[in-house]
Every structure is written in structure tokens, then in C-alpha cells.
């Protein structure tokens, strides 16, 4: 099937088999390896990307459902060679260890800050509640997001 | 890991969707947001050859008030319902209930119609709709019918593996409750969850 959508700010027209998910499309169709395959069931959150500014599970959303929407992956957070403030905060505060969950967590945080630029800690925790990290214990991740928001 | 291959049918109206459902009777599954069905396909629990996607039927995403009743299209997402000013002001119990579904990214894609059709025993919106005496309009190839929501875990279990039949529901009409009743139900729900 034919698909046209916006990917990281650029128009994208491509083809994909009917049974592909957005994750298949990004990684195997378009070669964007920043979005990770974790559980494949929508539980772990590592495949989280943005669709029209909201977080989605790339492993559960059919590629066909991306038609006409604006997708943002971790590759699209950087603009003109400059990291997104979320990326800078994660780096400065050591909010990643193995890094496998990091793209999904940064995009979940991005979605939160787009809608609510000054979240409370509770709101940050709720926004990241669908993203599992088995290394860090979350403290530095929460601190990094709050630092970007200027609410800590 | 790829999904078991299927062909996707993408009707652009409810009429076309019902026609496809009738034509592919028993072979096709309806897919709304996919948060349940795609996971089930991934786990090998179902292996449909065809999916009929409802994401191109714009009329099904509506959230509107008609003669004092809230009308939700089956494809209205949890994220849209929880953010809807109309729902938050008039049916706060429902807004509270959909905010409790899974996690934010699931709520972006998951729909109220899919949630009821899947009939998960731990569904958050279902008891809220029961409290609000919601009426469910079910469209199928043979026509439409309305049914008043009522509690029955037996019915939920029976319907769970039969999306071809149960996911024909296309619209819900929670009747406007007294504001006090809605507020007290919301508080009740919160107390129970905190236990």
C-alpha cells in the first residue's frame, strides 16, 4: 500500500505491506534505527514515537494508520545539529544507562512538555508511566524532565 | 518480529465498512486503534487473513452533545475523550475513567468502541458507562440496534473472543446524569482504586 505522511518535519511517501506496523516501517522500511523493538505488545514503551504531537506505540499502530499524520522519532528531536533540551538534560544528568529505553522515554517526555510546559513531578511520573527502564530506577530521568521544564 | 500477514481493507464510510463486514463474514476482524488486536495478533492468539480498519470513517470519531446526551463515536480515542471540554464539564466520571486506561501512548490510539468490543474484564470506561446508563448503538450488516448497558461479567467473557460480532458497536449515548450523581460516582471510583 502507498503511504504519505510527515516524518521528522519532512514529507515522506513510501510503500509498505498491509501488515506492517509503524515500527516495521521506521526501522525496516526507512532505516531509522533509533526507535527500538522491546516487548512488541505495547507494554514497555521503548518504541514510543510522536504522532501529531501525541505519544503512540509504534509496535501496535498499523503503518496504514500513520497516513497523513506527522511522526517524530528520536532522530527528529535534534534540529540543525542542536540537541533538543530533553536530550541535553538526559546527557548532563546521566539519565540513561544501557540506553535502550531512552528514545521512547525522551519522546514520551516531549509529548508531555508540548502539551504541558510546566508539569509537576506527579504529572511527569504519570506521563512516563508507560515507559519501563530496568537500569536507572527513574530518579535521574524524572529530574532531567523537570529540569527542562524549569519546575525543579 | 513481524505480524502474521493480513490484507487490510480501508473503507471510507460506515456503509462501506458494513458492506465489507457482510462480504467477509467470519473471515475479517474490525480494527480500531489496534492496541488490543495487534497485540493479540503478535502473540498468535488470532491470525486473521483480513482486517477492516475503521480509521478512515470520519463520522465515527465524533464527540458531541445531541439533545442533552453525549454521543461518542466508536472511534473516539481515550485521549480525545479525556481532553474533551464537553465531556469534562458534563460527564466528569467518564473523563476520569478514560484517564485510567493503560498509559498515555495507549490512550492516544485506543478507542472507546474498541475498549467495549474487546470487553476486557478490567476495563475502566465500561463501569463508568454503566453508571451513566449509556445506550450502545450497534451497527451491523443486518441493521442497527440499540441496547442499554447493564452489568454482566458473563456477557463480557462470552463476547471477548468474538470481535466480529461485538465490535460492530458504533456509538454510545451516555444520558446526562444529575451532576451530583456523577461527582459522587467519581469519588467512589477513586476510593476503590486507592485501596
Amino acid at each position: 500500500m502507498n503511504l504519505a505522511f510527515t516524518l521528522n518535519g519532512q514529507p515522506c511517501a513510501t510503500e509498505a505491506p498491509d501488515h506492517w506496523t509503524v515500527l516495521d516501517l521506521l526501522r525496516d522500511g526507512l532505516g531509522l534505527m533509533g526507535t527500538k523493538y522491546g516487548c512488541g505488545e505495547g507494554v514497555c514503551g521503548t518504541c514510543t514515537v510522536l504522532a501529531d504531537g501525541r505519544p503512540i506505540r509504534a509496535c501496535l499502530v498499523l503503518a496504514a494508520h500513520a497516513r497523513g499524520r506527522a511522526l517524530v522519532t528520536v532522530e527528529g528531536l535534534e534540529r540543525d545539529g542542536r540537541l533538543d533540551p530533553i536530550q541535553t538534560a538526559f546527557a548532563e544528568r546521566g539519565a540513561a544507562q544501557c540506553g535502550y529505553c531512552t528514545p521512547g522515554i525522551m519522546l514520551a517526555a516531549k509529548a508531555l512538555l508540548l502539551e504541558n510546559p510546566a508539569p509537576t513531578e506527579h504529572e511527569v511520573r504519570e506521563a512516563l508511566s508507560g515507559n519501563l527502564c530496568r537500569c536507572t530506577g527513574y530518579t535521574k530521568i524524572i529530574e532531567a524532565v523537570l529540569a527542562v521544564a524549569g519546575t525543579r | 518480529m513481524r505480524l502474521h500477514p493480513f490484507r487490510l481493507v480501508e473503507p471510507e464510510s460506515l456503509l462501506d465498512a458494513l458492506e465489507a463486514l457482510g462480504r467477509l463474514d467470519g473471515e475479517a476482524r474490525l480494527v480500531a486503534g489496534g492496541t488490543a488486536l495487534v497485540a493479540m495478533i503478535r502473540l498468535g492468539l488470532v491470525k486473521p487473513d483480513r482486517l477492516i480498519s475503521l480509521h478512515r470513517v470520519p463520522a465515527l470519531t465524533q464527540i458531541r452533545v445531541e439533545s442533552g446526551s453525549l454521543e461518542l463515536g466508536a472511534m473516539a480515542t481515550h485521549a480525545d475523550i479525556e481532553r474533551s471540554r464537553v465531556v469534562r464539564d458534563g460527564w466528569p466520571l467518564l473523563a476520569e475513567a478514560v484517564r485510567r486506561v493503560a498509559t498515555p501512548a495507549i490512550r492516544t490510539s485506543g478507542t472507546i468502541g474498541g475498549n467495549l468490543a474487546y470487553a476486557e474484564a478490567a476495563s475502566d470506561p465500561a463501569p463508568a458507562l454503566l453508571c451513566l446508563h449509556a445506550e450502545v448503538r450497534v451497527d451491523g450488516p443486518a441493521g442497527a440496534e440499540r441496547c442499554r448497558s447493564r452489568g454482566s461479567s458473563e456477557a463480557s467473557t462470552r463476547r471477548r473472543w468474538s470481535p466480529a460480532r461485538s465490535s460492530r458497536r458504533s456509538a454510545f449515548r451516555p444520558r446526562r446524569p444529575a451532576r451530583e450523581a456523577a461527582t459522587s460516582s467519581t469519588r467512589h471510583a477513586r476510593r476503590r482504586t486507592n485501596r
Side-chain angles (χ1 to χ4, degrees), chain B residues 51-93:
Chain B
L51 296 191
I52 301 169
S53 169
L54 298 175
H55 76 121
R56 285 181 143 182
V57 185
L60 290 182
T61 59
Q62 276 179 354
I63 299 174
R64 64 173 186 180
V65 176
E66 189 72 35
S67 315
S69 287
L70 176 66
E71 280 198 9
L72 302 173
M75 290 291 286
T77 65
H78 303 306
D80 283 339
I81 296 169
E82 75 177 277
R83 286 168 178 76
S84 160
R85 178 50 62 192
V86 163
V87 177
R88 290 165 71 140
D89 288 349
W91 291 268
L93 172 66

Side-chain angles (χ1 to χ4, degrees), chain B residues 88-101:
Chain B
R88 290 165 71 140
D89 288 349
W91 291 268
L93 172 66
L94 184 61
E96 172 87 16
V98 294
R99 254 198 310 279
R100 290 171 182 275
V101 175

